[in-house]
């Protein structure tokens, strides 16, 4: 059973990583792979989104399937499928575990986390992605681990390339180009906060050295939710009379399910790893379908349940009493990807999984710090200086699991305004420095260019007349894609820049009057 | 005279229909061709007019030798489809690739340093697929392959340029003719921006001089101006099909200045209206005055 389980875990992890790597443009309008399918399968995301936004993603039935499987087989998802669980497993195995597992009673913590998340989502706060394992994993990989991996591999091959000791490049370059075609990203990704998010992730992995699958046992809210379902599962563990209470099973238990205490086996904690079955010298353990109640009852403690619920409720106003919740105070640079819902609605849905950031062609989508308030931490923001919104690309809407970013057709996409460009005349070359420059106009992608020129004859220092074309932005045509900002030769602080005003999704963040 | 002319163009047209080489070789070795400065072919099929125009210039054999490594530099800088005329026509590129291989080229490389995302530009322009199908090696620009080059020009003293261009035996430039906000029109000389590394956006401060500097430094074996569709406004990327004019024309020549000067006439302009053409003519890179050129026009 153990090997079977390992094979299953390995396969799912590989599928997960494969789909993760495929979350990247190949130049066509579609990705060609169901890259977000693990998120689709996640019943926790479904539950909180339904609670907070009263909305279920189109593919919600997949997570119903996952819940259904748990109702029949218990938390097999955790033991056999979950990619983060598998990583936890792998890290746990770095350490030799001799003594029987520490018997902590912390397993309840994850239920409190779950209750907190559910309570806050009832009051429309969507915080689930911070702790949901699939979102957490995708975000950490996208924003931190994968960029890190790319950076190191590229650094190695680049230094080989530039030194070229004894024609070694002939060997290294084919390897490098094979890697580029398979494992590496098209270009080196860079993210703000990548160090922070990476450290959090390493911390979670590191906890496995404190205790096997620490995260899964004590913290994971999805595990808690599946644990609740697990109570109803009909696949149960039973122990026969042969049991000699030797404790061998407790040593290998992955979930802290109390397998050695016959009547107190916790069905909610069991990951169905079958380790106890394999380890039992007496062959006393068996798993089978039964309706009989064999497990220990779960007692979360009424007071603590109420506390975590209350915390979830209190978190809502706590995170929201900042001026950003007033429409006039919306952060000027909070440019959301095209197709994003109106800000409040957006926050109810975005789970901060980072799929959109991973897929963004130009690397312009970045995790917010506090531009969207604490509530919106790690939600996507377009930072045009890093990367603009590619005019004919619709990928972010295709990968967003919750519809926080709507899936747009190309025809719809090109009409969406995500902001407006403004010119800083004090920095712009033709305005401030009597030098020709038309870069912003050249790259402006709207069919009729949103940047137009006012022709002017200006004087340089010596009084010589210079003909320049001074760029102006047509506020009706500008869609705020930010390519002008990204390509403006005044690189440090571009002479043309985009702010969120005028974004189509908002009724308040307006500039032009003709919409009334 | 009339009769000879007719026979020749008939032969050229026939060559377009994939007559075995030996026949057109026969014609050229027999000295049936006079020296032509520009060949302008008109017709419904982009690939046929491309072939016809090259044949009118003496055939690909005249330019590419057996075993050559050839770089083809199309314009595929924009995330636009072929109908939108922002990039070189993919059929034209593919046909040139084929013709290079027909005369024994060892390898044909196709690349461009794009403005929009390279993946999208390569795919959406249709060029990557077409060129690959014709056997070309289509690769993305590798930033490590730019080397500072001593251009010693008037505006550009030195600039990182793509080494593949200089390591190739032959270079074929295949620009598309279109409108541009600063240069007015962009054609062959402006196409060299696609081999510039670094922060090339600065050259707009002295665009005309810079383009001439580049064109003096990079000497293509052959230039093929794609005017199958031209963009008459909102260039260089367009996007509105109303700005696209279908001319079904391909112009082939050696002299970049002549080509661009002739190209201007497609837009109802004169070569002398383009700053870079004028400067290039003055510096003796080529001939701006098209009345001095021998131009052969063919319909296929
Ligand atoms: S908006 Fe981006 S980060 Fe948020 S849920 Fe959608 S894909 Fe994930
Ligand atoms: S690209 Fe920048 S400097 Fe150049 S014209 Fe536009 S805003 Fe001004």
């Amino acid at each position: 059973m153990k090997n079977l389980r390992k094979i299953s875990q390995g396969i799912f992890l590989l599928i997960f990583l494969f789909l993760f790597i495929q979350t990247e443009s190949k130049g066509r309008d579609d990705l060609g792979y169901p890259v977000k399918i693990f998120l689709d399968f996640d019943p926790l995301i479904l539950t909180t989104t339904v609670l907070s936004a009263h909305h279920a993603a189109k593919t919600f039935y997949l997570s119903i399937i996952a819940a259904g499987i748990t109702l029949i087989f218990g938390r097999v998802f955790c033991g056999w499928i979950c990619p983060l669980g598998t990583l936890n497993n792998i890290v746990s195995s770095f350490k030799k575990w001799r003594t029987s597992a520490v018997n902590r009673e912390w397993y309840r913590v994850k239920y409190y986390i779950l209750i907190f998340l559910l309570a806050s989502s009832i009051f429309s706060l969507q915080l689930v992605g911070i702790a949901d394992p699939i979102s957490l994993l995708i975000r950490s990989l996208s924003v931190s681990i994968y960029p890190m991996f790319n950076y190191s591999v590229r650094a190695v091959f680049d230094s080989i390339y530039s030194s070229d000791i004894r024609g070694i490049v002939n060997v290294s370059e084919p390897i490098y180009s094979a890697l580029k075609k398979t494992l590496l990203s098209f270009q080196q990704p860079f993210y703000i906060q990548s160090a922070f998010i990476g450290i959090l992730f390493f911390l979670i992995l590191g906890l496995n050295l404190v205790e096997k699958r620490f995260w899964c046992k004590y913290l994971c809210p999805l595990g808690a939710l599946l644990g609740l379902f697990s109570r109803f599962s009909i696949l149960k563990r039973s122990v026969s009379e042969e049991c000699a209470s030797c404790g061998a099973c407790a040593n290998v238990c992955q979930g802290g399910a109390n397998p050695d205490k016959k009547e107190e086996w916790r069905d909610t904690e069991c990951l169905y790893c079958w380790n106890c079955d394999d380890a039992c010298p007496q062959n006393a353990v068996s798993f089978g379908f039964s309706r009989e109640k064999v497990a220990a009852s779960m007692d979360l403690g009424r007071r603590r349940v109420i506390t975590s619920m209350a915390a979830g409720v209190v978190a809502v106003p706590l995170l929201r009493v900042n001026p950003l919740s007033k429409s006039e105070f919306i952060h000027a640079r909070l440019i959301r990807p095209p197709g994003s819902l109106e800000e409040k609605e957006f926050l109810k849905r975005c789970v901060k999984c980072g799929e959109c950031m991973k897929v963004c062609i130009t690397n312009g989508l970045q995790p917010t710090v506090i531009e969207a308030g604490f509530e919106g931490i790690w939600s996507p923001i377009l930072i045009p200086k890093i990367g603009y919104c590619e005019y004919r690309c619709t990928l972010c809407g295709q990968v967003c699991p919750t519809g926080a970013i709507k899936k747009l057709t190309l025809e719809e996409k090109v009409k969406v305004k995500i902001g407006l460009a403004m010119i800083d005349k004090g920095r712009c070359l033709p305005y401030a420095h009597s030098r020709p420059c038309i870069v912003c106009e050249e790259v402006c992608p709207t069919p009729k260019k949103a940047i137009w020129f006012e022709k002017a004859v200006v004087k340089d220092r010596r009084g010589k007349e210079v003909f320049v074309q001074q760029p102006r932005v047509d506020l009706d045509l500008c869609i705020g894609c930010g390519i002008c900002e990204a390509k403006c030769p005044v690189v440090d602080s571009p002479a043309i820049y985009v702010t969120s005003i005028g974004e189509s999704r908002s009724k308040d963040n307006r500039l032009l009057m003709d919409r009334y | 005279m009339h009769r000879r002319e007719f026979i020749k163009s008939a032969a050229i047209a026939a060559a377009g229909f994939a007559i075995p080489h030996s026949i057109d070789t026969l014609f050229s070795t027999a000295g049936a061709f006079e020296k032509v400065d520009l060949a302008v072919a008109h017709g419904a099929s982009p690939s046929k007019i491309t072939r016809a125009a090259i044949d009118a210039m003496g055939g690909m054999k005249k330019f590419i030798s057996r075993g050559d490594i050839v770089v083809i530099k199309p314009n595929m800088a924009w995330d636009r489809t072929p109908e939108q005329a922002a990039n070189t026509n993919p059929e034209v590129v593919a046909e040139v690739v084929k013709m290079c291989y027909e005369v024994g080229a060892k390898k044909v490389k196709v690349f461009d340093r794009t403005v929009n995302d390279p993946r999208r530009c390569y795919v959406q322009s249709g060029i990557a697929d077409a060129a690959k199908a014709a056997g070309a090696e289509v690769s993305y620009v590798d930033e490590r392959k730019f080397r500072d080059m001593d251009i010693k020009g008037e505006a550009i003293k030195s600039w990182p340029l793509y080494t593949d261009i200089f390591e190739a035996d032959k270079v074929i430039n295949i620009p598309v003719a279109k409108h541009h906000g600063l240069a007015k029109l962009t054609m062959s000389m402006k196409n060299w921006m696609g081999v510039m590394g670094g922060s090339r956006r600065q050259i707009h401060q002295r665009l005309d001089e810079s383009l001439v500097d580049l064109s003096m430094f990079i000497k293509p074996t052959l230039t093929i101006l794609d005017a199958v569709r031209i963009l008459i406004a909102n260039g260089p990327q367009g996007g509105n099909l109303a700005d696209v004019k279908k001319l079904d024309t391909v112009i082939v020549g050696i002299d970049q200045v002549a080509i661009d000067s002739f190209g201007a006439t497609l837009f109802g302009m004169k070569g002398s209206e383009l700053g870079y053409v004028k400067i290039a003519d003055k510096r003796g890179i080529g001939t701006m005055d098209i009345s001095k050129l021998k131009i052969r026009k063919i319909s296929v």
Side-chain angles (χ1 to χ4, degrees):
Chain A
M1 239 8 186
K2 192 166 150 194
N3 291 334
L4 213 61
R5 188 197 82 231
K6 282 191 176 160
I7 291 170
S8 157
Q9 285 183 302
I11 290 174
F12 279 108
L13 182 63
L14 287 180
I15 297 176
F16 177 84
L17 292 176
F18 174 78
L19 291 177
F20 174 80
I21 290 173
Q22 298 309 320
T23 313
E24 179 175 76
S25 167
K26 298 276 181 317
R28 310 203 181 273
D29 290 333
D30 290 300
L31 291 175
Y33 290 99
V35 293
K36 64 177 170 71
I37 199 160
F38 277 82
L39 291 158
D40 291 338
F41 262 105
D42 188 329
L44 180 59
I45 292 181
L46 175 73
T47 318
T48 55
T49 321
V50 167
L51 290 176
S52 66
H54 311 290
H55 170 270
K58 279 206 192 70
T59 38
F60 76 97
Y61 53 88
L62 291 175
S63 53
I64 302 280
I65 293 176
I69 289 174
T70 316
L71 284 174
I72 302 171
F73 299 104
R75 269 173 81 182
V76 284
F77 176 85
C78 303
W80 294 63
I81 296 170
C82 177
L84 182 60
T86 305
L87 291 178
N88 282 328
N89 239 347
I90 294 171
V91 179
S92 303
S93 66
F94 290 164
K95 186 164 154 185
K96 283 251 172 300
W97 302 92
R98 290 234 185 77
T99 49
S100 69
V102 233
N103 206 352
R104 291 187 230 263
E105 290 295 298
W106 296 351
Y107 72 93
R108 296 196 185 92
V109 174
K110 63 177 176 296
Y111 295 98
Y112 304 138
I113 295 177
L114 175 67
I115 292 167
F116 173 90
L117 290 172
L118 293 180
S120 58
S121 68
I122 290 175
F123 292 93
S124 77
L125 188 65
Q126 174 75 288
L127 291 178
V128 68
I130 294 179
D132 169 73
I134 308 293
S135 316
L136 183 149
L137 183 57
I138 295 178
R139 176 179 63 242
S140 310
L141 291 182
S142 306
V143 173
S144 188
I145 310 301
Y146 190 56
M148 230 173 83
F149 168 74
N150 270 284
Y151 190 89
S152 351
V153 174
R154 277 166 215 262
V156 169
F157 281 97
D158 280 356
S159 59
I160 297 177
Y161 183 84
S162 57
S163 65
D164 191 21
I165 318 152
R166 285 185 219 177
I168 190 176
V169 164
N170 292 335
V171 188
S172 72
E173 280 306 284
I175 302 175
Y176 185 38
S177 68
L179 280 174
K180 277 207 269 196
K181 279 196 195 103
T182 50
L183 293 183
L184 296 182
S185 59
F186 181 73
Q187 59 214 350
Q188 171 65 43
F190 295 99
Y191 293 95
I192 49 178
Q193 290 210 59
S194 65
F196 180 54
I197 290 174
I199 288 169
L200 284 180
F201 182 66
F202 285 127
L203 215 69
I204 289 172
L205 290 187
L207 285 174
N208 289 300
L209 303 177
V210 176
E211 200 175 326
K212 259 187 246 174
R213 296 194 72 160
F214 189 102
W215 162 269
C216 310
K217 279 183 193 164
Y218 303 135
L219 300 173
C220 182
L222 176 61
L225 182 72
L226 296 177
L228 293 181
F229 291 153
S230 225
R231 286 193 73 78
F232 305 100
S233 77
I234 49 176
L235 184 64
K236 295 284 185 207
R237 175 178 180 274
S238 58
V239 183
S240 71
E241 295 304 317
E242 259 90 285
C243 170
S245 300
C246 65
C249 52
N251 273 337
V252 293
C253 179
Q254 292 201 348
N258 271 350
D260 51 335
K261 308 209 181 80
K262 247 179 164 180
E263 298 305 314
E264 278 165 54
W265 171 71
R266 297 187 194 120
D267 50 0
T268 56
E269 304 308 302
C270 179
L271 305 184
Y272 290 81
C273 64
W274 261 269
N275 276 358
C276 50
D277 190 354
D278 287 343
C280 180
Q282 310 289 334
N283 252 334
V285 178
S286 61
F287 283 85
F289 293 106
S290 89
R291 290 238 124 261
E292 245 173 90
K293 187 115 185 66
V294 284
S297 63
M298 186 170 65
D299 178 18
L300 294 176
R302 193 189 310 172
R303 228 181 282 161
R304 287 190 220 162
V305 169
I306 292 174
T307 314
S308 36
M309 248 193 237
V313 176
V314 169
V316 182
L318 181 67
L319 296 185
R320 286 199 181 146
V321 279
N322 65 52
L324 286 178
S325 307
K326 284 185 84 174
S327 57
E328 306 89 272
F329 279 97
I330 195 150
H331 198 287
R333 290 298 231 165
L334 185 63
I335 300 165
R336 295 291 195 189
S340 293
L341 302 176
E342 185 276 321
E343 184 64 13
K344 290 211 172 78
E345 205 47 43
F346 181 85
L347 288 175
K348 285 184 200 169
R349 293 206 202 172
C350 173
V351 291
K352 295 102 183 171
C353 60
E355 280 277 315
C356 52
M357 302 166 212
K358 170 74 178 72
V359 87
C360 181
I361 282 195
T362 62
N363 195 199
L365 282 186
Q366 299 276 330
T368 56
V369 187
I370 45 151
E371 296 90 333
F374 290 115
E375 169 182 12
I377 189 170
W378 301 336
S379 58
I381 180 175
L382 184 83
I383 302 189
K385 233 192 101 166
I386 303 178
Y388 60 92
C389 178
E390 190 70 84
Y391 185 63
R392 297 174 66 238
C393 167
T394 58
L395 291 177
C396 53
Q398 292 178 32
V399 301
C400 180
T402 57
I405 310 174
K406 273 184 288 179
K407 193 172 168 179
L408 301 175
T409 62
L410 193 54
E411 293 74 45
E412 292 166 333
K413 153 81 203 277
V414 297
K415 289 196 203 109
V416 170
K417 284 175 187 279
I418 55 177
L420 285 179
M422 304 266 174
I423 288 166
D424 182 345
K425 284 195 185 178
R427 298 179 71 85
C428 175
L429 299 171
Y431 277 112
H433 309 290
S434 320
R435 275 179 184 258
C437 173
I438 45 92
V439 175
C440 49
E441 189 259 7
E442 177 177 26
V443 296
C444 179
T446 55
K448 183 174 178 202
K449 290 188 179 282
I451 295 178
W452 55 280
F453 293 128
E454 196 171 281
K455 299 189 162 96
V457 176
V458 292
K459 289 201 173 117
D460 66 9
R461 186 173 181 170
R462 272 160 284 149
K464 201 180 127 209
E465 290 191 334
V466 188
F467 171 77
V468 288
Q469 308 186 76
Q470 297 172 331
R472 301 272 288 271
V473 178
D474 183 323
L475 297 181
D476 275 313
L477 295 180
C478 176
I479 50 167
C481 72
I483 192 171
C484 50
E485 180 175 346
K487 309 263 178 181
C488 176
V490 191
V491 283
D492 63 345
S493 175
I496 187 165
Y497 60 95
V498 176
T499 61
S500 69
I501 196 158
E503 48 181 350
S504 338
R505 67 188 187 121
S506 167
K507 279 195 219 73
D508 305 315
N509 196 15
R510 296 256 133 261
L511 178 64
L512 300 179
M513 81 162 292
D514 28 332
R515 314 221 160 230
Y516 292 95
Chain B
M1 179 66 199
H2 241 107
R3 222 171 75 96
R4 252 184 81 197
E5 195 77 55
F6 171 74
I7 291 172
K8 262 187 293 178
S9 45
I12 292 152
F17 290 97
I19 295 269
H21 295 192
S22 49
I23 295 183
D24 68 66
T25 315
L26 237 165
F27 272 97
S28 53
T29 46
F33 285 99
E34 292 162 49
K35 192 182 164 294
V36 178
D37 293 311
L38 292 182
V40 181
H42 180 87
S45 156
S47 48
K48 278 180 197 153
I49 54 177
T50 306
R51 186 173 283 268
I54 293 173
D55 286 342
M57 286 294 295
M60 196 57 109
K61 245 204 159 101
K62 216 174 120 186
F63 305 101
I64 306 294
S65 320
R66 195 157 286 282
D68 273 352
I69 292 185
V70 184
V71 159
I72 290 180
K73 165 67 178 74
N75 186 336
M76 48 173 168
W78 307 99
D79 177 13
R80 293 289 198 231
T81 56
E83 304 71 50
Q84 295 173 314
N87 303 307
T88 307
N89 187 296
E91 289 177 61
V92 171
V93 179
E95 192 66 15
V96 180
V97 175
K98 264 186 229 153
M99 292 178 80
C100 289
Y101 280 122
E102 282 165 16
V103 298
K106 190 166 146 214
K107 191 191 272 179
V108 180
K109 298 185 183 181
V110 176
F111 54 81
D112 193 9
R113 185 163 183 236
T114 62
V115 177
N116 291 130
D117 175 70
R119 292 160 288 188
R120 286 198 62 96
C121 294
Y122 274 48
V123 171
Q124 303 293 326
S125 68
I127 295 175
D129 285 343
K132 263 186 222 154
E137 178 193 292
V138 180
S139 59
Y140 296 116
V141 162
D142 179 349
E143 289 296 329
R144 303 174 307 178
K145 286 207 210 162
F146 288 99
R147 288 281 138 74
D148 274 320
M149 308 260 175
D150 264 328
I151 293 172
K152 297 198 184 77
E154 273 178 18
I156 309 179
K157 299 287 170 253
S158 95
W159 201 279
L161 300 181
Y162 207 57
T163 41
D164 276 14
I165 285 275
F166 303 96
E167 283 160 10
D169 299 303
K170 305 283 162 60
V171 175
I172 301 179
N173 191 12
I174 319 187
V176 55
K178 53 182 179 167
H179 165 262
H180 187 268
L182 182 60
K184 290 186 187 151
L185 297 176
T186 101
M187 288 167 285
S188 65
M189 292 159 82
K190 176 122 193 330
N191 204 26
W192 295 126
M193 274 189 80
V195 303
M196 295 176 84
S199 178
R200 58 187 173 181
R201 41 197 152 181
Q202 262 112 24
I203 76 162
H204 292 90
Q205 295 172 32
R206 293 183 70 186
L207 187 63
D208 290 332
E209 289 94 334
S210 305
L211 294 181
V212 176
D213 289 346
L214 280 176
S215 309
M216 287 194 85
F217 194 69
I218 307 168
K219 297 188 187 74
T221 315
L222 198 60
T223 301
I224 300 165
L225 179 64
D226 161 28
V228 173
R229 296 185 184 86
I230 63 169
L231 194 54
I232 51 174
N234 291 307
Q237 34 176 340
N240 187 349
L241 292 186
D243 295 336
V244 176
K245 215 162 122 190
K246 203 147 181 281
L247 295 187
D248 292 323
T249 302
V250 163
I251 299 121
V252 177
I254 299 165
D255 178 345
Q256 317 180 52
V257 186
I259 293 237
D260 286 1
S261 186
F262 183 89
T265 64
L266 302 173
F267 296 79
M269 290 164 80
K270 280 208 218 84
S272 54
E273 290 174 55
L274 304 176
Y276 59 92
V277 170
K278 235 162 65 187
I279 301 172
D281 179 84
K282 218 187 287 158
R283 285 210 236 154
I285 302 179
T287 318
M288 175 172 77
D289 185 354
I290 45 179
S291 67
K292 286 193 194 139
L293 302 173
K294 181 151 177 45
I295 301 173
R296 166 153 310 141
K297 297 194 173 166
I298 322 144
S299 295
V300 184

